[in-house]
Amino acid sequence: LRAVVLLLISVAVGLTVGELDHGYKGYHIYEVTPKTLEQSQLLHQLSLDGYDFIKEGRLLGHSSRVIVSPAQFERFVKLVKSEQIAYTLLNENLGASIDEELALLKLQRRMNPITGKGRLSTERYYTHEEILNYIDDLAVRYPSRVFVKTVGWSYERRALKTITITNGDQRKGKKLIFVDGGFHAREWISPAAVLYIIDQLVEQFEQNADLLKDYDWIILPVVNPDGYEHTQTGTLARMWRKTRQPYGACYGADPNRNFDFHWNEEGASSSACADTYAGPTAFSEPETIVVRDLMHSLSDRGVMYLTLHSYGNYLLYPWGWTSDLPDTWEDLDEVARTGAEAIENATGTVYTYGSSTNVLYIAAGASDDYGFYAGFNVSITMELSGAGSIGFNPPVTRIDEFVTETWIGIRAMAEKIIEKY
Ligand code: ARG
Ligand code: ZN
């Protein structure tokens, strides 16, 4: 009897654990391409109904990608068929793809540990701790040009540190470019690109001295370290987007819907379990408070705010809360176009540029709108390249290609900024 009871208990536990930790087994990814406005609106509605759109294209003919769970599968296929929306199956078992990728990540960490101090390669993804150690080390090695400061703490008490990069001339009140990454946990290429920017400005200083002559750069590599670390813990967690503060039975707010500027008006969810949860109030997350306070403390000399996300190859400028354009939209457009053209000329990768609402979708409470409102002349969200089975997981063999491509765009935009402001 005892054995039977134990068996029953373990089956019950196994079942609940299995249910909770579905591990994306049997989940599909579809690419859908709307051809009419109606189809595009219908797809957008799905994203508000709990479908996870890992890439959204709003313009007609631009493709979106959506994760479809076994439970959603029937309804989804029925809908796209009856609406005659073109769709293709990209991935038949998301769980298996993620398992493979995480196994690789572990292997790469073991084969390619950080030995001593020095540059970080683009050969793998790094932990938040490795990133902090790296910038701390830079400050020690380049004491006249690099300054690291703890500007706050994440919900789980990870340090949020900025690295300020100068040319060492100690001039006060220089103009400033503010860059951040890692807002969304699963977008691993974003912190990787930030590391490359830091490498260029610090270690490749001679080649980039023009970018630091009249400007300082301040960089916050990982805004949402709790989420970033969470995505490295297991298959189910790999697709995590939000912060990690608990809200009832669910976790986290979307940090990019949590800013107090038209907060929770459009394109955000009031449901704590949703991926685009705006939070119970604006600035409910310690991480967004840190970014807000940085923005206000820097805005009098801040010319450009740049936030790195993935993926989709977009250069987006305000507004994201309305389809109206700001008065200075032509300046914003010129900067974004400069970045897009530089990348396309160098690599052939096409970046679409325009206002967030007009080229992507309406979504209020994001950091780009807030930075612009707070006084930065130019504010840009860059959606980098995607690759791998889910797009958020470029194989490590392509990190270098993606971060160098990103830098080409950022460098061109910075040059334009320096010329214009
Ligand atoms: N993919 C980004 C997000 O959903 C885009 C943000 C664009 N900016 C905006 N204000 N809507 O957070
Ligand atoms: Zn993002």
Side-chain angles (χ1 to χ4, degrees), residues 183-187 241 254 256 308-311 361 381 383 392:
F183 252 80
H184 289 140
R186 61 196 181 183
E187 300 166 6
R241 167 180 167 99
D254 183 341
N256 218 26
L308 303 186
H309 287 250
S310 79
Y311 59 100
Y361 44 75
T381 295
E383 297 274 0
F392 295 117

Side-chain angles (χ1 to χ4, degrees), residues 24 52 184-188 224 226-228 230-231 235-245 250-253 272-275:
Y24 289 103
D52 188 359
H184 289 140
R186 61 196 181 183
E187 300 166 6
W188 289 2
N224 174 18
D226 300 348
Y228 181 67
H230 183 63
T231 58
T235 308
L236 186 59
R238 176 64 186 87
M239 299 298 285
W240 193 255
R241 167 180 167 99
K242 299 188 286 177
T243 57
R244 291 297 295 167
Q245 174 158 219
C250 291
Y251 285 87
C273 302
D275 249 344

